[in-house]
Amino acid sequence: MIRLCDESEFDTMVEIVNDAAQAYRGVIPEDRWKEPYMPKEELRHEIDAGVVFWGYEEEGELIGVMGIQPVQDVTLIRHAYVRTAQQNRGSAESCWLTCGHRQTGPP
């Protein structure tokens, strides 16, 4: 199920972002990598700046989040993260497509 994330899921969202970012350890340059990859304060700043997070839920568990932000006449995909245990299964693709469609309308 694809749905908007709410404030009660903030800690889960931070967990998903930082878990998913592990897939890029060694790919992201060392001088850009940090632990945690996205601290709570940084995620809070993104939300306060207008990034809206949508979630992908399977069997009652939030497994992926996508942060989108309308800016002028475009919608930016600012963040897209899926828990490592659920990566490479294709399940999140529908979330990203649906979230983008809901924000921008059909192509």
Side-chain angles (χ1 to χ4, degrees):
M1 174 173 66
I2 298 158
R3 59 175 177 71
L4 281 171
C5 294
D6 64 44
E7 183 61 32
S8 69
E9 298 172 301
F10 182 80
D11 287 341
T12 302
M13 292 165 53
V14 171
E15 179 186 312
I16 290 169
V17 167
N18 288 308
D19 174 61
Q22 295 304 313
Y24 298 100
R25 181 186 290 274
V27 176
I28 295 173
E30 249 184 72
D31 66 330
R32 300 288 181 206
W33 183 264
K34 59 187 187 272
E35 286 286 343
Y37 184 72
M38 184 180 293
K40 287 183 177 184
E41 300 78 22
E42 188 176 339
L43 182 60
R44 174 64 57 207
H45 175 75
E46 292 292 292
I47 293 169
D48 291 345
V51 177
V52 177
F53 280 85
W54 288 79
Y56 184 75
E57 184 180 303
E58 278 187 358
E59 298 178 13
E61 179 186 10
L62 188 62
I63 65 163
V65 293
M66 179 179 203
I68 55 180
Q69 183 178 32
V71 177
Q72 297 178 4
D73 62 344
V74 299
T75 300
L76 303 175
I77 298 173
R78 298 288 310 274
H79 304 281
Y81 299 97
V82 176
R83 290 182 188 272
T84 54
Q86 281 83 19
Q87 289 178 4
N88 300 314
R89 293 185 0 199
S91 59
E93 182 179 359
S94 64
C95 179
W96 311 151
L97 293 173
T98 301
C99 290
H101 176 77
R102 287 181 181 174
Q103 291 299 307
T104 62

